[in-house]
Amino acid sequence: MPVYVQHEVLARVDDVFNAEALWQAPGLALFSRRPLLRDLLERSPREQRGRAATRCFSHVTLMLPQDEVDDDRHLTRGARVRDLAQSLAALHQKDFGDLLGGDEVRYHVVGNDAVASGEVKVKFGHAVYLPAPGEQLLYTVTASRDSAIWQPVCAVYPNQRLTVVGQDEANATFAVPGWPFGAEGGILLINDGADSEMEVQVRPKDTLDCRFDAAGGYYVIRRKANGDGAGQRLLLKISRAGTPERANPAKAPSAVLARAPAVWKPREASIAENEMTAMPLAAPHALENDATYAPVARHRITLAALALPRLSRYRDTGAAALEIGLGSSLAPVAPGKDSLIRFLVDDADDVHAITAAGRQRVKVPSQFAPLDGASLRLHAVAPGMADRYAALLALPQGPEQPAAAGTRLVFGRGMPALAGLRVLDGPAFLRHLDGSAAASADRLGLSRNAFSWEATGAGLRIVRLSETQALFHLDADLKLVAPITQATQEQPYLLPSGHHLVAGHYVLRFDA
């Protein structure tokens, strides 16, 4: 495998800002001399024919002891660093001008705490590129372990053809935060220009497996061989600068997100008359017992999503943050260290994701994959609801309860009907400005008597009981159908099977 990044150390340097001392040793070339920068570039040409070099590398990064760079910045405003870069570029142009092939010589001098006093680290090679002044970004590369917290890795410029990312800068162009695969592998990014797609390859090829997740818009990288870390993964996202985060030039992710599967499959309501017709006639004495076991319509109400409120509407209550945890099964739980992922809305109405990797503000809509085979979606809110809600958090494993047909019950804060679906009715979810916990998050936006409901084969009959209670009808894809303002005892609102009703924080799906 070719060496994409050359890392070398110049040792026993008396003055790290002396360009001539770093470039070439004085006097005649001796076998015992230590190699300096000119020797390293000469021994590792960019291109060669036979043993003769035809091109040399022209972009070089120098890492000096951090204390030396800090002192220069304090005492001379960085003049010695600038002079070192300019002097080395001039020496490079003078000695290798016939091997540059029109390339511009660029040097970049930085400080590094890992560089010992009296040493200088040098980095150059096929995957080392220094942007020109004012050159615009073409791609940004970020990495994540859980698809929620994304850490910056590097930028890629239009003329930057090769980039290697991996464990650390000693083995790659850029280090990836949280790289779980050790030093044996890396990811090679190949950029053939703005009109071409970014190509992603594994180096060496037999160490890692890399595939593109079109739904998530990122690459999923895993170790191929079984053993330590075989179950670990890394997510790598490559986005064009100036485009939405989900855009990926390598493979455009699907713009249509599949709806999360229902926890149970809706079935058509049975008709009692037909069931009676299908009963055996040969045993009339068992008719009463058979009728007891005749299938009946099964109605259920499922908590399909949580509507994250805009806390700015409730500033007078002192509400500062609403935080919701999801456990290992992605069911809602009280936020804590055992939560696989948490979502928080602050008093500025910003939505944050929290995992073991940290906390990060997230965009709406977004998709998350905290575990293999598990997917979470944060849906945008329709304009008709945007004044009340910041996002809809779909629950792939939301709780559900049966709904007996022909019985009218009341849903609301403190009402027993469907109380098991009010998962935020507790002190752990809502925090005040003084840090104290609220008695219940349901006090924000949910009346004690919000609405009454009755399950029927035609749909869920809704009667709005409180004039201040906002109710919204969403379709099967969580798209707004209409706000429910007229729903009386005489003319109840009919919610079709498979559709959703929003009341307070809760998005309830009715299935018949």
Side-chain angles (χ1 to χ4, degrees):
M1 187 179 78
V3 178
Y4 292 96
V5 181
Q6 297 274 357
H7 284 268
E8 304 290 347
V9 177
L10 309 181
R12 303 192 302 276
V13 179
D14 295 330
D15 183 2
V16 296
F17 294 103
N18 188 332
E20 289 76 11
L22 298 179
W23 182 252
Q24 186 176 18
L28 299 175
L30 301 176
F31 291 106
S32 61
R33 73 176 185 175
R34 54 192 173 90
L36 295 176
L37 183 53
R38 188 187 190 283
D39 306 306
L40 297 175
L41 291 168
E42 193 171 36
R43 296 176 186 181
S44 301
R46 180 169 187 166
E47 297 176 8
Q48 63 185 26
R49 184 175 296 125
R51 294 185 177 181
T54 57
R55 287 188 67 189
C56 72
F57 293 106
S58 59
H59 293 193
V60 182
T61 296
L62 266 66
M63 288 167 277
L64 310 185
Q66 186 65 55
D67 289 343
E68 300 273 6
V69 175
D70 289 342
D71 291 344
D72 174 56
R73 181 171 58 86
H74 299 157
L75 301 177
T76 69
R77 298 178 182 268
R80 300 189 73 188
V81 166
R82 292 191 296 273
D83 290 344
L84 175 61
Q86 293 170 2
S87 299
L88 286 173
L91 291 170
H92 194 131
Q93 181 74 42
K94 174 177 175 293
D95 288 0
F96 296 114
D98 58 335
L99 299 177
L100 293 175
D103 294 339
E104 182 181 352
V105 177
R106 299 173 190 169
Y107 274 76
H108 183 46
V109 181
V110 296
N112 192 312
D113 289 323
V115 180
S117 178
E119 291 185 351
V120 174
K121 287 189 176 181
V122 178
K123 183 167 71 172
F124 62 92
H126 295 280
V128 174
Y129 177 83
L130 300 177
E135 187 174 357
Q136 299 297 316
L137 296 178
L138 181 58
Y139 300 109
T140 57
V141 182
T142 54
S144 175
R145 297 292 301 276
D146 50 29
S147 83
I149 308 302
W150 291 89
Q151 303 289 348
V153 176
C154 66
V156 178
Y157 293 86
N159 295 321
Q160 182 177 349
R161 186 170 184 274
L162 300 179
T163 306
V164 178
V165 297
Q167 181 185 25
D168 53 44
E169 293 186 1
N171 299 279
T173 314
F174 298 100
V176 177
W179 177 266
F181 308 116
E184 68 228 39
I187 302 298
L188 176 65
L189 310 178
I190 305 173
N191 168 36
D192 284 323
D195 297 332
S196 302
E197 298 179 349
M198 175 76 84
E199 186 177 347
V200 179
Q201 294 186 4
V202 173
R203 286 292 183 270
K205 290 185 177 181
D206 58 350
T207 56
L208 303 172
D209 177 73
C210 178
R211 64 175 181 85
F212 183 72
D213 187 320
Y218 45 70
Y219 291 88
V220 182
I221 303 163
R222 294 184 176 86
R223 193 190 303 274
K224 273 190 175 181
N226 294 326
D228 293 341
Q232 294 177 330
R233 65 170 188 171
L234 179 78
L235 310 179
L236 198 69
K237 183 182 295 184
I238 304 170
S239 306
R240 276 191 184 269
T243 60
E245 185 176 317
R246 284 186 55 81
N248 191 306
K251 294 183 181 179
S254 174
V256 180
L257 299 179
R259 181 188 171 200
V263 177
W264 68 288
K265 295 181 179 180
R267 63 179 72 180
E268 296 182 357
S270 302
I271 302 176
E273 183 178 358
N274 290 341
E275 296 293 347
M276 293 294 293
T277 304
M279 292 176 62
L281 298 179
H285 61 279
L287 182 61
E288 182 178 354
N289 291 337
D290 288 340
T292 303
Y293 295 100
V296 296
R298 295 187 63 188
H299 306 293
R300 291 187 179 274
I301 297 180
T302 301
L303 180 61
L306 291 171
L308 306 184
R310 290 190 177 275
L311 290 188
S312 59
R313 293 174 54 91
Y314 306 98
R315 283 200 176 97
D316 57 344
T317 69
L322 177 72
E323 186 174 347
I324 302 165
L326 298 178
S328 57
S329 63
L330 298 185
V333 295
K337 294 182 179 180
D338 295 336
S339 301
L340 180 64
I341 186 171
R342 290 174 281 164
F343 291 93
L344 180 145
V345 183
D346 60 23
D347 55 357
D349 301 331
D350 292 329
V351 182
H352 302 257
I354 305 173
T355 69
R359 168 176 165 173
Q360 193 170 83
R361 180 183 173 185
V362 296
K363 296 181 179 180
V364 179
S366 293
Q367 182 172 346
F368 307 90
L371 291 174
D372 288 338
S375 179
L376 288 171
R377 292 181 178 88
L378 205 59
H379 295 266
V381 178
M385 302 169 57
D387 61 329
R388 292 179 176 272
Y389 300 108
L392 299 180
L393 175 61
L395 299 176
Q397 296 295 334
E400 62 179 29
Q401 287 189 208
T407 303
R408 182 172 294 276
L409 298 173
V410 176
F411 180 84
R413 191 177 76 248
M415 294 294 106
L418 303 182
L421 304 185
R422 290 188 286 107
V423 295
L424 302 187
D425 184 19
F429 301 94
L430 186 64
R431 293 198 303 273
H432 287 156
L433 291 172
D434 59 4
S436 63
S440 171
D442 283 353
R443 296 184 66 85
L444 302 183
L446 186 64
S447 302
R448 291 189 61 84
N449 299 290
F451 64 90
S452 66
W453 57 275
E454 180 184 355
T456 69
L460 194 68
R461 296 183 182 272
I462 304 295
V463 175
R464 187 164 172 255
L465 300 180
S466 172
E467 294 183 358
T468 61
Q469 180 64 58
L471 300 176
F472 299 94
H473 173 193
L474 307 184
D475 65 11
D477 296 320
L478 297 178
K479 304 298 183 183
L480 178 64
V481 176
I484 302 176
T485 56
Q486 300 297 325
T488 64
Q489 295 281 0
E490 294 74 20
Q491 292 185 335
Y493 190 94
L494 187 64
L495 187 79
S497 176
H499 284 217
H500 301 80
L501 175 70
V502 182
H505 309 308
Y506 305 110
V507 182
L508 307 174
R509 185 179 70 245
F510 172 67
D511 293 301

